[in-house]
Amino acid sequence: MSLVFDEYGRPFIIMREQEKRERLKGLEAQKANILAARTVSNVLRSSLGPKGMDKMLVSPDGEVTITNDGATILDQMDVQHQIARLMVELSQSQDMEIGDGTTGVVVLAGALLEQAEKLLMKGIHAVRIADGFEEACDICIKKLEEISDTVEFGKDNIGPLKKTAMTTLSSKIVNRYKESMAEIAVNAVLSVADLDRKDVNFELIKMQGKVGGTLEDTTLIKGIVLDKDFSHPQMPKEVKDAKMCILTCPFEPPKPKTKHKLDIKSAEAYRKLYEAEQKYFTDMVQKVKDSGANMVICQWGFDDEANHLLLQNNLPAVRWVGGVEIELLAIATGGRIVPRFEDLSEEKLGKAGKVKEIAFGTTRDRMLVVEDCHNTRAVTVLVRGGNKMIVEE
């Protein structure tokens, strides 16, 4: 500690905290690391099993999350200690590889470390303890292989898969509806699974949440759901045998890249400008019509002029569709994403049996459902719930 003065002569004290800090070594360091990992494990312990309690987590910006999923809890926690972070990574790797048991694996690791600490106190070296754990793991794996049983399943026999899914949902917030939820999960996976190669493309399963209704209203849709509606209220609410052009270019005249100024000094000049702008719109709409499309999906917006022209030409349109949704739509309908109107052709159109707009209850919320897609494997799980937290969980 030392006394110094600032430029105005005011005294202040500098505390030499670094001198008081000690570097832990040997057994003390091991005990401190075990304590950090066990602290994380103890946080999750009360969330384990069917009777486990939910945790309420509040983010720095005030967003509230209620969950009992181990991976979600640890992901939301701000963990600074490096050893404690290993427990977070353990839960994340379990979630990525298996998808279940995220809480159990952290609690088990904490229990093993608790026993390891007792052995360290008896003077047993850490390497010997680790070797003992590895040997015990080998014995456990052999025993599991001895008592394991092969469960046969197929598209005609989904009973075992459904029971497995129900087991994993027992400790979740949806356990009251676990039978219907398990059926949705199994049907969704089987829709996109290649049973011969034993491969599942999870990219083809889209989760779409919509606040309102109850968890019981959650449904599996064999197609794509877009959280959008048709751009004009007078456009038809249902399009059968849809041939859609998927565009990433806007319905608007091209803008000069450089700074520019346009002087209009007469009504004639203004009319010419208006006609030139109209020609851009009519050419764009004509190119869409010439390709054989009867529906437009656009990543960008378009103004009222283009919207009116699309309505006049019987071309239902959807605007502001996100990049991820555009890609999924292209995969599902077998279409190509077109960056320029000049590149439009019939073979690049996506095909779907039916596109319809659905409304929810008394609210004005609407969504688009694309059914009977060219690639029938793409599915969407439409999750309903009383509030945002339920839907997210």
Side-chain angles (χ1 to χ4, degrees):
M1 187 171 76
S2 59
L3 183 69
V4 291
F5 298 89
D6 64 9
E7 65 267 28
Y8 300 107
R10 291 179 297 206
F12 62 93
I13 297 167
I14 294 176
M15 303 287 291
R16 300 189 187 277
E17 286 290 326
Q18 196 64 32
E19 290 178 1
K20 293 184 179 180
R21 295 178 70 173
E22 294 180 10
R23 185 181 290 275
L24 295 174
K25 297 178 183 177
L27 184 61
E28 289 302 314
Q30 289 168 340
K31 284 169 70 177
N33 289 338
I34 288 171
L35 178 64
R38 279 182 58 199
T39 304
V40 173
S41 172
N42 289 337
V43 168
L44 292 191
R45 189 169 285 181
S46 59
S47 295
L48 184 65
K51 294 187 178 179
M53 293 180 288
D54 287 5
K55 295 273 187 286
M56 181 183 281
L57 305 161
V58 184
S59 66
D61 55 355
E63 195 173 325
V64 178
T65 306
I66 299 173
T67 181
N68 71 348
D69 178 57
T72 309
I73 294 168
L74 291 178
D75 190 46
Q76 299 271 347
M77 282 169 63
D78 184 17
V79 180
Q80 298 291 334
H81 198 282
Q82 298 301 322
I83 302 299
R85 276 190 192 170
L86 286 176
M87 299 292 268
V88 176
E89 288 169 17
L90 171 68
S91 179
Q92 286 171 347
S93 61
Q94 176 76 6
D95 192 33
M96 283 187 283
E97 286 294 318
I98 310 298
D100 191 37
T102 50
T103 309
V105 75
V106 174
V107 172
L108 179 63
L112 290 173
L113 287 170
E114 191 177 339
Q115 298 305 314
E117 188 177 11
K118 292 176 184 176
L119 296 172
L120 285 168
M121 296 295 285
K122 290 179 181 177
I124 301 171
H125 197 276
V127 175
R128 294 295 297 274
I129 297 169
D131 289 342
F133 280 151
E134 283 183 16
E135 201 171 319
C137 180
D138 291 336
I139 294 166
C140 289
I141 290 169
K142 282 177 187 172
K143 183 63 180 172
L144 286 171
E145 285 172 353
E146 284 173 23
I147 63 172
S148 65
D149 190 16
T150 305
V151 180
E152 296 294 335
F153 69 90
K155 289 208 171 184
D156 302 322
N157 178 27
I158 63 168
L161 290 176
K162 196 175 167 185
K163 285 178 182 174
T164 307
M166 283 169 68
T167 305
T168 63
L169 293 170
S170 295
S171 61
K172 300 289 183 279
I173 202 168
V174 296
N175 59 359
R176 284 175 59 195
Y177 310 105
K178 64 181 179 183
E179 193 168 335
S180 59
M181 292 291 179
E183 197 168 333
I184 288 169
V186 171
N187 289 334
V189 170
L190 286 176
S191 297
V192 302
D194 187 342
L195 294 179
D196 298 329
R197 288 170 53 207
K198 294 187 177 176
D199 180 45
V200 179
N201 184 2
F202 287 109
E203 297 290 323
L204 293 173
I205 301 175
K206 183 172 178 271
M207 301 291 290
Q208 182 74 50
K210 193 71 178 173
V211 175
T214 65
L215 283 168
E216 209 171 3
D217 298 331
T218 301
T219 53
L220 176 69
I221 294 166
K222 296 288 179 77
I224 306 294
V225 175
L226 300 175
D227 195 3
K228 304 285 172 191
D229 54 0
F230 287 116
S231 57
H232 198 288
Q234 291 178 2
M235 284 177 179
K237 303 301 177 193
E238 188 172 312
V239 180
K240 289 185 178 176
D241 295 324
K243 291 178 184 175
M244 58 186 78
C245 61
I246 303 167
L247 302 170
T248 54
C249 46
F251 263 97
E252 58 184 32
K255 291 186 175 74
K257 298 249 190 286
T258 55
K259 202 171 181 181
H260 65 286
K261 184 182 176 185
L262 190 65
D263 289 327
I264 298 171
K265 296 181 179 177
S266 66
E268 186 66 32
Y270 183 82
R271 190 159 47 250
K272 280 183 182 176
L273 178 67
Y274 175 72
E275 285 169 2
E277 191 178 47
Q278 284 286 35
K279 192 173 184 304
Y280 276 119
F281 287 130
T282 50
D283 286 351
M284 288 172 183
V285 173
Q286 193 56 47
K287 280 170 186 167
V288 173
K289 289 284 282 184
D290 292 344
S291 68
N294 61 0
M295 185 176 171
V296 178
I297 304 286
C298 188
Q299 187 175 6
W300 302 102
F302 36 83
D303 61 14
D304 294 339
E305 194 74 46
N307 205 10
H308 178 71
L309 278 170
L310 288 165
L311 175 66
Q312 296 283 62
N313 285 274
N314 296 318
L315 282 170
V318 186
R319 54 187 167 187
W320 298 118
V321 181
V324 177
E325 292 168 322
I326 283 255
E327 286 177 19
L328 196 62
L329 200 59
I331 293 167
T333 59
R336 295 278 295 277
I337 297 171
V338 181
R340 289 189 299 273
F341 284 96
E342 292 77 15
D343 298 342
L344 269 172
S345 60
E346 193 172 354
E347 59 270 13
K348 291 181 180 176
L349 301 178
K351 294 176 178 64
K354 186 164 63 174
V355 179
K356 62 179 180 181
E357 188 179 278
I358 54 173
F360 295 98
T362 55
T363 64
R364 293 185 180 180
D365 285 343
R366 288 179 173 84
M367 293 180 104
L368 284 175
V369 178
V370 184
E371 294 177 329
D372 303 330
C373 298
H374 173 77
N375 181 358
T376 54
R377 292 172 64 203
V379 295
T380 304
V381 180
L382 181 60
V383 182
R384 307 300 310 281
N387 56 39
K388 189 183 172 186
M389 284 183 287
I390 295 286
V391 171
E392 286 179 355
E393 175 65 5

